[in-house]
């Protein structure tokens, strides 16, 4: 019922910056938490950052001080500003949205956008 579309990925040099966007559509009401996960080849998918509807944020230790997550609740859009990128940041980045109806939570995933950090 919720469609998530990521954009902003690409190839960037080490030390460069990218800004990812994720727009939600469909049954967008009651989306509580949105966030970004990433998965590198041969590795497990891991949390990068998340943000609640109230603005509380969580970051992976590996990206603290370099990445910033933000959201526009009116547009149901979440952003990830990535600075000082490193080759280890190379991965497919996935958008996630948690939709809460009363006490029931449903998780939705986007298709992912490729981020490659290489010189």
């Amino acid at each position: 019922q919720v469609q998530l579309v990521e954009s902003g990925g690409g190839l960037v040099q080490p030390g460069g910056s990218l800004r990812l966007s994720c727009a939600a559509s469909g049954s967008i009401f009651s989306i509580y938490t949105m966030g970004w996960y990433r998965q590198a080849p041969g590795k497990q998918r891991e949390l990068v950052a998340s943000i609640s509807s109230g603005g509380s944020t969580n970051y992976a230790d590996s990206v603290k001080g370099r990445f910033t997550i933000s959201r526009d609740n009116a547009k149901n859009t979440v952003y990830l500003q990535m600075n000082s990128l490193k080759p280890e940041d190379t991965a497919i980045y996935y958008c996630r949205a948690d939709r809460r109806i009363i006490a029931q939570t449903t998780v939705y995933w986007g298709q992912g956008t490729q981020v490659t950090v290489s010189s």
Side-chain angles (χ1 to χ4, degrees):
Q1 291 183 316
V2 174
Q3 186 92 251
L4 302 175
V5 179
E6 303 99 331
S7 62
L11 191 152
V12 65
Q13 295 181 336
S17 299
L18 285 174
R19 190 191 191 201
L20 306 182
S21 299
C22 173
S25 62
S27 300
I28 59 176
F29 56 89
S30 299
I31 293 179
Y32 176 65
T33 302
M34 300 187 72
W36 292 94
Y37 290 69
R38 68 186 181 187
Q39 186 168 19
K43 297 184 178 180
Q44 299 293 316
R45 186 175 298 185
E46 64 177 357
L47 171 71
V48 177
S50 66
I51 184 168
S52 72
S53 59
S56 298
T57 58
N58 290 307
Y59 294 93
D61 288 340
S62 60
V63 306
K64 287 182 179 178
R66 299 188 298 121
F67 292 8
T68 302
I69 189 170
S70 61
R71 70 185 292 174
D72 185 333
N73 289 333
K75 297 180 179 179
N76 288 288
T77 300
V78 64
Y79 307 92
L80 185 67
Q81 179 66 48
M82 304 185 293
N83 299 325
S84 302
L85 283 162
K86 305 174 181 179
E88 65 190 73
D89 295 318
T90 296
I92 300 176
Y93 283 70
Y94 296 92
C95 181
R96 167 174 164 163
D98 294 356
R99 182 169 175 245
R100 184 176 182 178
I101 306 296
I102 310 178
Q104 186 177 31
T105 300
T106 304
V107 177
Y108 301 90
W109 293 94
Q111 293 297 308
T113 184
Q114 178 71 49
V115 172
T116 302
V117 184
S118 177
S119 59

mmCIF file of all heavy atoms in Angstrom, residues 8-29:
data_model
loop_
_atom_site.group_PDB
_atom_site.id
_atom_site.type_symbol
_atom_site.label_atom_id
_atom_site.label_comp_id
_atom_site.label_asym_id
_atom_site.label_seq_id
_atom_site.Cartn_x
_atom_site.Cartn_y
_atom_site.Cartn_z
ATOM 1 N N GLY A 8 19.023 9.992 -6.045
ATOM 2 C CA GLY A 8 20.196 10.725 -5.614
ATOM 3 C C GLY A 8 21.475 9.928 -5.561
ATOM 4 O O GLY A 8 22.543 10.499 -5.299
ATOM 5 N N GLY A 9 21.408 8.629 -5.795
ATOM 6 C CA GLY A 9 22.609 7.821 -5.779
ATOM 7 C C GLY A 9 23.474 8.079 -6.999
ATOM 8 O O GLY A 9 23.077 8.738 -7.949
ATOM 9 N N GLY A 10 24.692 7.549 -6.951
ATOM 10 C CA GLY A 10 25.611 7.723 -8.056
ATOM 11 C C GLY A 10 27.029 7.423 -7.647
ATOM 12 O O GLY A 10 27.288 6.834 -6.600
ATOM 13 N N LEU A 11 27.954 7.828 -8.494
ATOM 14 C CA LEU A 11 29.382 7.632 -8.260
ATOM 15 C C LEU A 11 29.986 8.934 -7.770
ATOM 16 O O LEU A 11 29.756 9.996 -8.360
ATOM 17 C CB LEU A 11 30.076 7.155 -9.534
ATOM 18 C CG LEU A 11 31.517 6.666 -9.403
ATOM 19 C CD1 LEU A 11 31.826 5.641 -10.486
ATOM 20 C CD2 LEU A 11 32.503 7.819 -9.490
ATOM 21 N N VAL A 12 30.769 8.857 -6.701
ATOM 22 C CA VAL A 12 31.383 10.044 -6.125
ATOM 23 C C VAL A 12 32.788 9.692 -5.648
ATOM 24 O O VAL A 12 33.064 8.548 -5.280
ATOM 25 C CB VAL A 12 30.527 10.596 -4.962
ATOM 26 C CG1 VAL A 12 30.475 9.600 -3.810
ATOM 27 C CG2 VAL A 12 31.046 11.942 -4.495
ATOM 28 N N GLN A 13 33.675 10.664 -5.667
ATOM 29 C CA GLN A 13 35.040 10.459 -5.196
ATOM 30 C C GLN A 13 35.103 10.445 -3.676
ATOM 31 O O GLN A 13 34.242 11.044 -3.009
ATOM 32 C CB GLN A 13 35.957 11.559 -5.735
ATOM 33 C CG GLN A 13 36.134 11.551 -7.238
ATOM 34 C CD GLN A 13 37.059 12.648 -7.715
ATOM 35 O OE1 GLN A 13 37.229 13.664 -7.055
ATOM 36 N NE2 GLN A 13 37.663 12.439 -8.876
ATOM 37 N N PRO A 14 36.089 9.765 -3.102
ATOM 38 C CA PRO A 14 36.258 9.827 -1.648
ATOM 39 C C PRO A 14 36.358 11.271 -1.163
ATOM 40 O O PRO A 14 37.035 12.099 -1.774
ATOM 41 C CB PRO A 14 37.559 9.067 -1.409
ATOM 42 C CG PRO A 14 37.644 8.126 -2.563
ATOM 43 C CD PRO A 14 37.070 8.871 -3.734
ATOM 44 N N GLY A 15 35.670 11.553 -0.071
ATOM 45 C CA GLY A 15 35.608 12.899 0.456
ATOM 46 C C GLY A 15 34.483 13.732 -0.108
ATOM 47 O O GLY A 15 34.225 14.839 0.391
ATOM 48 N N GLY A 16 33.801 13.225 -1.109
ATOM 49 C CA GLY A 16 32.709 13.945 -1.729
ATOM 50 C C GLY A 16 31.404 13.790 -0.977
ATOM 51 O O GLY A 16 31.341 13.186 0.098
ATOM 52 N N SER A 17 30.336 14.329 -1.564
ATOM 53 C CA SER A 17 29.029 14.343 -0.923
ATOM 54 C C SER A 17 27.942 13.905 -1.888
ATOM 55 O O SER A 17 28.049 14.084 -3.104
ATOM 56 C CB SER A 17 28.693 15.748 -0.407
ATOM 57 O OG SER A 17 29.621 16.188 0.563
ATOM 58 N N LEU A 18 26.895 13.333 -1.321
ATOM 59 C CA LEU A 18 25.682 12.991 -2.043
ATOM 60 C C LEU A 18 24.494 13.240 -1.135
ATOM 61 O O LEU A 18 24.616 13.157 0.090
ATOM 62 C CB LEU A 18 25.668 11.525 -2.490
ATOM 63 C CG LEU A 18 26.532 11.110 -3.674
ATOM 64 C CD1 LEU A 18 26.480 9.589 -3.835
ATOM 65 C CD2 LEU A 18 26.066 11.787 -4.952
ATOM 66 N N ARG A 19 23.365 13.513 -1.739
ATOM 67 C CA ARG A 19 22.124 13.665 -0.989
ATOM 68 C C ARG A 19 21.081 12.713 -1.560
ATOM 69 O O ARG A 19 20.709 12.822 -2.730
ATOM 70 C CB ARG A 19 21.597 15.091 -1.048
ATOM 71 C CG ARG A 19 20.433 15.351 -0.084
ATOM 72 C CD ARG A 19 19.762 16.673 -0.355
ATOM 73 N NE ARG A 19 18.835 17.050 0.702
ATOM 74 C CZ ARG A 19 17.834 17.921 0.549
ATOM 75 N NH1 ARG A 19 17.653 18.523 -0.621
ATOM 76 N NH2 ARG A 19 17.045 18.211 1.572
ATOM 77 N N LEU A 20 20.606 11.795 -0.740
ATOM 78 C CA LEU A 20 19.590 10.844 -1.135
ATOM 79 C C LEU A 20 18.215 11.341 -0.712
ATOM 80 O O LEU A 20 18.063 11.962 0.336
ATOM 81 C CB LEU A 20 19.844 9.472 -0.508
ATOM 82 C CG LEU A 20 21.214 8.839 -0.738
ATOM 83 C CD1 LEU A 20 21.257 7.454 -0.091
ATOM 84 C CD2 LEU A 20 21.539 8.756 -2.216
ATOM 85 N N SER A 21 17.227 11.032 -1.535
ATOM 86 C CA SER A 21 15.849 11.373 -1.231
ATOM 87 C C SER A 21 14.984 10.128 -1.352
ATOM 88 O O SER A 21 15.238 9.264 -2.184
ATOM 89 C CB SER A 21 15.320 12.452 -2.180
ATOM 90 O OG SER A 21 16.062 13.645 -2.069
ATOM 91 N N CYS A 22 13.952 10.058 -0.532
ATOM 92 C CA CYS A 22 12.995 8.964 -0.582
ATOM 93 C C CYS A 22 11.606 9.541 -0.412
ATOM 94 O O CYS A 22 11.298 10.125 0.637
ATOM 95 C CB CYS A 22 13.281 7.931 0.506
ATOM 96 S SG CYS A 22 12.019 6.641 0.643
ATOM 97 N N ALA A 23 10.773 9.367 -1.419
ATOM 98 C CA ALA A 23 9.412 9.879 -1.399
ATOM 99 C C ALA A 23 8.426 8.730 -1.263
ATOM 100 O O ALA A 23 8.510 7.743 -1.996
ATOM 101 C CB ALA A 23 9.122 10.673 -2.667
ATOM 102 N N ALA A 24 7.492 8.872 -0.338
ATOM 103 C CA ALA A 24 6.465 7.867 -0.105
ATOM 104 C C ALA A 24 5.164 8.284 -0.771
ATOM 105 O O ALA A 24 4.790 9.461 -0.751
ATOM 106 C CB ALA A 24 6.239 7.657 1.389
ATOM 107 N N SER A 25 4.475 7.313 -1.344
ATOM 108 C CA SER A 25 3.178 7.560 -1.957
ATOM 109 C C SER A 25 2.267 6.373 -1.691
ATOM 110 O O SER A 25 2.706 5.331 -1.208
ATOM 111 C CB SER A 25 3.314 7.810 -3.462
ATOM 112 O OG SER A 25 3.858 6.680 -4.116
ATOM 113 N N GLY A 26 0.991 6.529 -2.025
ATOM 114 C CA GLY A 26 0.008 5.497 -1.758
ATOM 115 C C GLY A 26 -0.707 5.773 -0.451
ATOM 116 O O GLY A 26 -1.175 6.881 -0.216
ATOM 117 N N SER A 27 -0.777 4.767 0.402
ATOM 118 C CA SER A 27 -1.396 4.915 1.717
ATOM 119 C C SER A 27 -0.387 5.505 2.683
ATOM 120 O O SER A 27 0.177 4.821 3.539
ATOM 121 C CB SER A 27 -1.918 3.564 2.214
ATOM 122 O OG SER A 27 -2.886 3.031 1.338
ATOM 123 N N ILE A 28 -0.152 6.802 2.541
ATOM 124 C CA ILE A 28 0.952 7.448 3.243
ATOM 125 C C ILE A 28 0.593 7.902 4.646
ATOM 126 O O ILE A 28 1.477 8.343 5.391
ATOM 127 C CB ILE A 28 1.472 8.656 2.442
ATOM 128 C CG1 ILE A 28 0.355 9.669 2.216
ATOM 129 C CG2 ILE A 28 2.063 8.186 1.114
ATOM 130 C CD1 ILE A 28 0.802 10.941 1.521
ATOM 131 N N PHE A 29 -0.670 7.814 5.010
ATOM 132 C CA PHE A 29 -1.052 8.254 6.348
ATOM 133 C C PHE A 29 -0.479 7.304 7.395
ATOM 134 O O PHE A 29 -0.258 6.120 7.149
ATOM 135 C CB PHE A 29 -2.581 8.350 6.473
ATOM 136 C CG PHE A 29 -3.312 7.075 6.150
ATOM 137 C CD1 PHE A 29 -3.569 6.139 7.138
ATOM 138 C CD2 PHE A 29 -3.745 6.821 4.859
ATOM 139 C CE1 PHE A 29 -4.244 4.973 6.845
ATOM 140 C CE2 PHE A 29 -4.422 5.657 4.556
ATOM 141 C CZ PHE A 29 -4.669 4.731 5.548
#
